[in-house]
């Protein structure tokens, strides 16, 4: 019964999100809300819950209108670009029907989907076999580094690079956590960096009870993808019960930093969902 309920919830998210996206191809507020629901459904579909992911995603209609809305949303709102890219790859690479819709959708004129999402409209054809070129004299070996160009040996150049690396300040737990979440595109379903990133963010935000509060505030303030991080933490809070308490604590701490509070206030959907779903009084 629990599996059937989960499957029904996933289908509902996909259907509701797709309808909102398809009905707002200009990527307004309706599409933004629809994407939040749709991507939850796409992520949940990957776990199956009684049905193959491709089967669940193939049920979604109209595919081309959803694709147009997602691409337009990514063009107009950069904060969603990596999340949209991740979801488009799941759809296009996981379903033949979505792959065909991706090729045929009438996207906005001039959009370069490969540059925007790392996803070309079609796979390039395999190059034809060409006659092997005549053998050429081997090229001179390039110097190991700029230091080698100045006359230093490769060993000396390598030693210099090691010294520079050792002298560079080590990233804090908080910085490493942010880096690992950026590496997975702020996508709650991605692994294995998810768990490590969350643990590092929790420690870096003061969870180890040894962090310098002033340093934590400075590092959090310097991070320039605050809205992305808050959206990610919000989605994670809803999807992963295991992290729920840690995530709520991290969100509350970040929102004490003025620049993070401002990023939240500037996104009305994010603000309202944090109040409702995480039960924060903002």
């Amino acid at each position: 019964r629990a599996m059937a309920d989960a499957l029904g919830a996933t289908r509902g998210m996909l259907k509701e999100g797709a309808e909102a996206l398809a009905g707002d191809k200009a990527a307004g507020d309706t599409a933004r809300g629809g994407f939040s629901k749709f991507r939850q459904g796409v992520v949940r579909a990957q776990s199956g819950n009684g049905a193959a992911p491709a089967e669940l995603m193939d049920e979604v209609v109209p595919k081309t209108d959803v694709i147009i809305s997602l691409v337009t949303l990514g063009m107009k709102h950069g904060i969603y670009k990596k999340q949209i890219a991740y979801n488009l790859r799941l759809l296009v690479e996981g379903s033949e029907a979505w792959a065909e819709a991706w090729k045929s959708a009438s996207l906005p004129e001039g959009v370069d989907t490969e540059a925007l999402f790392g996803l070309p409209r079609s796979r390039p054809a395999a190059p034809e076999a060409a006659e092997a070129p005549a053998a050429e004299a081997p090229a001179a070996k390039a110097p190991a580094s700029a230091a080698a160009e100045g006359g230093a040996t490769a060993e000396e150049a390598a030693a210099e690079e090691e010294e520079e690396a050792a002298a560079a300040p080590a990233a804090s737990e908080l910085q490493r956590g942010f880096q690992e979440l950026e590496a997975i595109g702020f996508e709650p379903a991605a692994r294995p960096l998810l768990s490590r990133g969350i643990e590092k963010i929790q420690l870096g935000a003061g969870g180890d009870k040894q962090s310098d509060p002033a340093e934590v505030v400075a590092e959090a303030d310097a991070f320039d993808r605050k809205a992305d991080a808050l959206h990610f933490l919000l989605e994670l809070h809803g999807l992963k019960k295991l992290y729920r308490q840690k995530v709520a604590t991290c969100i509350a701490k970040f929102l004490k930093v003025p620049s993070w509070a401002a990023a939240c206030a500037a996104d009305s959907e994010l603000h309202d969902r944090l109040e409702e779903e995480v039960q924060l009084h903002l």
Side-chain angles (χ1 to χ4, degrees):
R1 174 63 186 273
M3 183 176 290
D5 289 345
L7 185 58
T10 300
R11 282 193 164 109
M13 289 177 180
L14 289 168
K15 183 176 185 294
E16 184 179 338
E19 288 175 350
L21 285 165
D24 184 13
K25 288 185 284 187
D29 290 341
T30 302
R32 293 173 64 191
F35 174 57
S36 179
K37 184 73 68 176
F38 184 70
R39 67 174 176 155
Q40 288 183 55
V42 172
V43 167
R44 287 171 61 109
Q46 306 313 302
S47 64
N49 288 323
E55 176 187 338
L56 290 171
M57 294 187 294
D58 284 353
E59 294 173 1
V60 176
V61 291
K63 294 177 178 62
T64 53
D65 286 349
V66 170
I67 287 170
I68 293 168
S69 184
L70 288 173
V71 170
T72 307
L73 187 64
M75 294 171 65
K76 291 180 67 175
H77 303 284
I79 64 169
Y80 297 117
K81 189 167 64 174
K82 285 193 175 182
Q83 298 166 13
I84 290 171
Y86 178 81
N87 281 267
L88 282 172
R89 283 196 300 273
L90 289 178
L91 293 167
V92 173
E93 295 174 4
S95 161
E96 287 294 330
W98 278 96
E100 288 302 316
W102 174 247
K103 294 176 186 176
S104 63
S106 300
L107 300 184
E109 185 177 355
V111 62
D112 184 346
T113 60
E114 186 165 15
L116 193 62
F117 304 115
L119 193 64
R121 292 299 298 277
S122 61
R123 291 184 181 142
E128 295 181 3
E131 184 179 346
E136 296 179 1
K141 187 175 180 181
S145 68
E149 291 177 2
T153 66
E155 290 78 7
E156 289 171 339
E160 183 179 333
E161 290 171 1
E162 287 181 8
E163 287 178 6
E164 290 176 357
S172 70
E173 293 287 353
L174 185 58
Q175 290 170 330
R176 283 197 290 268
F178 285 143
Q179 289 166 3
E180 291 184 356
L181 295 191
E182 283 189 298
I184 61 173
F186 293 97
E187 184 51 60
R191 298 185 180 195
L193 295 180
L194 172 60
S195 179
R196 287 176 15 208
I198 283 297
E199 291 297 331
K200 286 181 171 62
I201 281 181
Q202 197 222 1
L203 289 173
D208 56 358
K209 305 196 182 297
Q210 296 178 354
S211 302
D212 182 336
E215 288 184 8
V216 170
V217 169
E219 290 172 359
D221 188 57
F223 184 64
D224 62 358
R225 298 187 63 185
K226 299 174 180 68
D228 280 349
L230 288 171
H231 273 287
F232 166 84
L233 291 169
L234 175 60
E235 298 300 333
L236 186 65
H237 181 273
L239 289 172
K240 306 283 185 182
K241 291 183 180 179
L242 176 65
Y243 298 120
R244 194 161 289 169
Q245 185 174 354
K246 292 179 180 179
V247 168
T249 300
C250 286
I251 291 173
K253 288 184 177 180
F254 286 140
L255 290 178
K256 290 180 181 179
V257 180
S259 56
W260 283 73
C264 175
D267 188 326
S268 58
E269 179 197 354
L270 175 64
H271 179 279
D272 293 347
R273 289 186 62 198
L274 284 172
E275 283 195 328
E276 179 182 348
E277 298 174 29
V278 189
Q279 298 182 342
L280 296 176
H281 301 292
L282 305 176

